């Protein structure tokens, strides 16, 4: 389920990296494009790109969190529209695919958007159970409560994706997708 997962944060969030340096010096359009891969809200990405250069990764993450808290409902809807539902490995049993598909359909019918969950704290074999448990638990939420939980999950996803992007020595954050 790589769509809603990223590698755990490195021990030193403030440590400089080659990817981070390239992000700070990239064109505004390239920086925005890289950030849109972390969170699909254009306003969020533009805000972060406009405030470069960041002194360190910790400052970028703090700015990302702040921008995430400031997202308007339309920004959150735009970010959610760019997300894919977390799925199962193709080798999972058909019954598991069916159960997850039904759970996603029930969630999307109730709340009108894709289910998002940050799985960074879990090992890959635990992901299917966490997704199913998360959907089942969150189906009981009132829409306003779920909107808050969803926004928090989007912030966590964006944070993990930023860390992955900035610390990945193979991927250039200045390259547009």
């Amino acid at each position: 389920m790589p769509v809603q997962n990223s590698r755990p944060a490195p021990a030193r969030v403030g440590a400089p990296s080659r990817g981070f340096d390239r992000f700070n010096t990239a064109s505004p359009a390239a920086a925005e494009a890289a950030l849109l891969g972390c969170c699909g809200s254009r306003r969020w990405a533009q805000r972060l790109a406009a405030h470069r250069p960041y002194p360190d990764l910790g400052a970028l993450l703090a700015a990302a969190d702040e921008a995430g808290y400031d997202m308007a409902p339309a920004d959150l809807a735009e970010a959610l529209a760019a997300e894919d539902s977390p799925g199962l490995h193709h080798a999972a049993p058909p019954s598991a695919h069916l159960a997850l598909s039904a759970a996603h359909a029930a969630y999307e019918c109730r709340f009108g958007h894709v289910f998002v969950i940050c799985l960074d704290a879990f090992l890959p074999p635990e992901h299917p159970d966490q997704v199913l448990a998360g959907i089942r638990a969150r189906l009981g939420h009132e829409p306003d409560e779920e909107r808050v939980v969803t926004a928090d999950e989007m912030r966590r996803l964006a944070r993990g994706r930023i860390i992955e992007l900035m610390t990945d020595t193979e991927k250039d954050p200045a390259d547009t997708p």
Side-chain angles (χ1 to χ4, degrees):
M1 284 184 250
V3 199
Q4 294 185 347
N5 191 37
S6 63
R7 290 181 284 191
R12 286 188 51 225
V13 173
S17 74
R18 192 169 149 226
F20 180 75
D21 292 338
R22 288 187 302 219
F23 169 76
N24 264 340
T25 59
S27 72
E32 285 176 31
L35 289 165
L36 281 170
C38 300
C39 176
S41 164
R42 290 198 179 283
R43 186 172 160 263
W44 178 89
Q46 289 168 347
R47 179 175 170 178
L48 290 178
H51 288 97
R52 293 172 308 132
Y54 292 95
D56 55 39
L57 183 54
L60 173 57
L61 293 173
D65 286 345
E66 182 179 332
Y69 283 112
D70 290 344
M71 284 197 330
D75 300 325
L76 180 59
E78 181 182 29
L80 288 169
E83 291 292 320
D84 291 322
S85 297
L88 297 174
H89 187 273
H90 69 280
S95 59
H97 285 280
L98 184 60
L100 186 60
S101 183
H104 278 298
Y107 180 90
E108 290 177 24
C109 182
R110 173 144 167 76
F111 297 111
H113 59 78
V114 68
F115 175 78
V116 293
I117 187 169
C118 182
L119 299 168
D120 289 352
F122 302 98
L123 297 172
E126 299 171 357
H127 291 179
D129 290 337
Q130 291 299 321
V131 171
L132 278 171
I135 290 174
R136 288 181 182 139
R138 289 167 55 186
L139 276 169
H141 290 173
E142 291 299 317
D144 288 341
E145 179 184 13
E146 182 56 20
R147 201 171 2 261
V148 170
V149 172
T150 298
D152 188 51
E153 291 296 320
M154 283 301 305
R155 279 188 297 278
R156 292 176 59 212
L157 286 168
R159 185 179 183 85
R161 291 169 181 168
I162 288 170
I163 291 168
E164 184 174 359
L165 181 67
M166 298 302 154
T167 58
D168 187 348
T169 58
E170 299 299 316
K171 189 171 184 180
D172 188 343
D175 288 342
T176 54

